[in-house]
Amino acid sequence: MGYHILAFFLGFLLDLLFGDPYFLPHPIRLIGKLISVTEKKLRRHSKISCNGVDRQRTELSGGVILVILVLLGTVTATALALSAAYWLHPWLGAAAETVMTYQIMAVKCLQTESMKVCQYLRQGNTEEARKAVAMIVGRDTACLDAEGIAKAAVETVAENTSDGVVAPLLYTALGGPILGLSYKAINTMDSMVGYRNEEYLYFGRAAAKLDDCVNFIPARLSAWLMIAASFLLGHEFSGKQAWAVWKRDRKKHASPNSAQTEAVCAGSLGIMLAGPAVYFGKPLKKPYIGDSLRKAEAEDIRRANRLMYMAAWLCELICLSVMLSLWKICGI
């Protein structure tokens, strides 16, 4: 338990310091390749066996098999690597766990990529800002003006405060890198195949539903942490508005989880988020979240990142406190 606590803390600090250098191999990229290869093989098999008959059932089954195979591969590889490291020496095991924990976190990376958008907007370079925001959002960005670009980046930071920061912290605290990377595998599957379009409506359903389930509690905890952060961070934020808008707008999204943190962020900053957007060339009507007390601006991206960082630290400290208490009381 002591090694796990140390690795959990050091991995978090490493992420804050270094983020995800592009030149280093990353387990999420390997998981992404596994998902891609497995999907191609399953789809090839379904075309041969199904031959156009009962496509819906075949794709649903293929999606379930994809989830099972990817999770089995992730758990097995992580468990073998950790077990081998700890078998060789406890400190080698702790070092391996630290590196894995570091690679599970995405605090610094989220800030770095979103602040690129902020910098371009500050310079008045809307075209480059549009390209930068296209790297971190799923919607079409060609029609976005400066305010729309800022809103898209803020929404991404708010949503990823849950599934890119708080949820990985919680699952890694509970089950170490095995559970942490399993969560990341689920999240990656959802981002790759969990679309509600013709290609993935059935095949990606298992991944999407599982992602909703594993994010249910983290999304709500993230919202509460962001509300607390809004009270702690000073005059640029409003804890009262964050709480009020969260209570009112937290269910205004097709996903049961996404609006939780978006509502808090919108309320805290006094801006309106969400609304109609274009995905894969098709307009999608989405309800607005928050109140338009003022227009969204580039600096709101920086403010959203401050909320995210404070929520991350609060979550880290809570997890460490619980882990240390259990270690002291139970000796586990």
Side-chain angles (χ1 to χ4, degrees):
M1 183 69 170
Y3 292 116
H4 174 49
I5 295 172
L6 180 63
F8 182 74
F9 180 62
L10 292 179
F12 179 72
L13 290 183
L14 285 174
D15 177 61
L16 295 186
L17 290 172
F18 302 111
D20 295 325
Y22 296 117
F23 62 87
L24 289 179
H26 200 286
I28 306 306
R29 296 192 196 110
L30 295 176
I31 291 171
K33 289 180 180 179
L34 175 62
I35 294 167
S36 181
V37 170
T38 307
E39 178 192 354
K40 288 178 182 177
K41 290 185 177 180
L42 287 171
R43 284 190 180 277
R44 191 183 304 123
H45 176 73
S46 66
K47 286 179 182 178
I48 294 172
S49 61
C50 181
N51 196 26
V53 180
D54 204 5
R55 172 175 171 267
Q56 178 179 335
R57 184 183 300 174
T58 303
E59 290 198 357
L60 285 170
S61 301
V64 172
I65 294 170
L66 173 74
V67 169
I68 293 171
L69 291 178
V70 170
L71 285 178
L72 276 175
T74 302
V75 169
T76 302
T78 308
L80 287 174
L82 269 181
S83 298
Y86 272 111
W87 178 76
L88 289 171
H89 196 280
W91 283 111
L92 181 60
E97 187 171 350
T98 297
V99 172
M100 288 181 182
T101 301
Y102 157 47
Q103 293 182 313
I104 290 168
M105 306 304 165
V107 181
K108 179 76 169 182
C109 180
L110 179 57
Q111 181 203 37
T112 299
E113 296 304 316
S114 61
M115 285 303 294
K116 289 179 184 177
V117 182
C118 181
Q119 293 293 347
Y120 285 127
L121 289 176
R122 284 171 176 170
Q123 297 165 9
N125 193 338
T126 306
E127 186 60 34
E128 289 301 319
R130 196 176 287 121
K131 291 178 183 177
V133 82
M135 301 299 293
I136 60 173
V137 300
R139 74 190 66 181
D140 296 349
T141 60
C143 59
L144 295 180
D145 59 10
E147 183 185 8
I149 292 168
K151 287 172 62 175
V154 168
E155 289 172 28
T156 294
V157 174
E159 185 175 348
N160 280 282
T161 298
S162 173
D163 55 23
V165 177
V166 173
L169 280 170
L170 289 176
Y171 283 110
T172 305
L174 283 170
I178 294 175
L179 193 56
L181 282 170
S182 296
Y183 168 78
K184 295 295 286 187
I186 294 168
N187 199 239
T188 305
M189 281 189 283
D190 179 59
S191 68
M192 292 179 68
V193 305
Y195 297 106
R196 294 184 179 182
N197 56 23
E198 185 177 351
E199 184 178 3
Y200 289 110
L201 181 61
Y202 301 115
F203 187 83
R205 185 171 296 179
K209 293 297 182 183
L210 182 57
D211 186 74
D212 286 343
C213 291
V214 298
N215 278 301
F216 189 85
I217 292 175
R220 284 143 187 83
L221 179 58
S222 299
W224 300 337
L225 290 171
M226 289 175 71
I227 291 169
S230 299
F231 281 104
L232 294 171
L233 283 172
H235 69 279
E236 289 188 306
F237 308 88
S238 173
K240 289 183 179 179
Q241 284 179 199
W243 172 256
V245 174
W246 174 73
K247 286 197 298 181
R248 188 191 71 196
D249 294 348
R250 68 186 186 275
K251 296 181 181 179
K252 287 185 177 181
H253 202 287
S255 163
N257 303 317
S258 295
Q260 296 285 330
T261 49
E262 285 186 34
V264 174
C265 192
S268 181
L269 300 181
I271 60 175
M272 185 177 285
L273 298 175
V278 179
Y279 292 86
F280 305 104
K282 296 181 179 180
L284 179 64
K285 290 184 178 180
K286 297 168 63 178
Y288 287 101
I289 295 173
D291 300 309
S292 187
L293 302 182
R294 59 177 180 81
K295 286 188 175 182
E297 59 185 14
E299 291 306 308
D300 286 316
I301 303 173
R302 175 186 59 81
R303 296 179 185 114
N305 275 293
R306 288 191 66 197
L307 273 176
M308 181 265 291
Y309 261 76
M310 179 59 79
W313 270 109
L314 290 172
C315 185
E316 175 74 12
L317 293 174
I318 290 170
C319 290
L320 283 173
S321 298
V322 172
M323 292 160 71
L324 287 168
S325 297
L326 289 172
W327 188 33
K328 183 177 181 180
I329 295 170
C330 304
I332 59 175

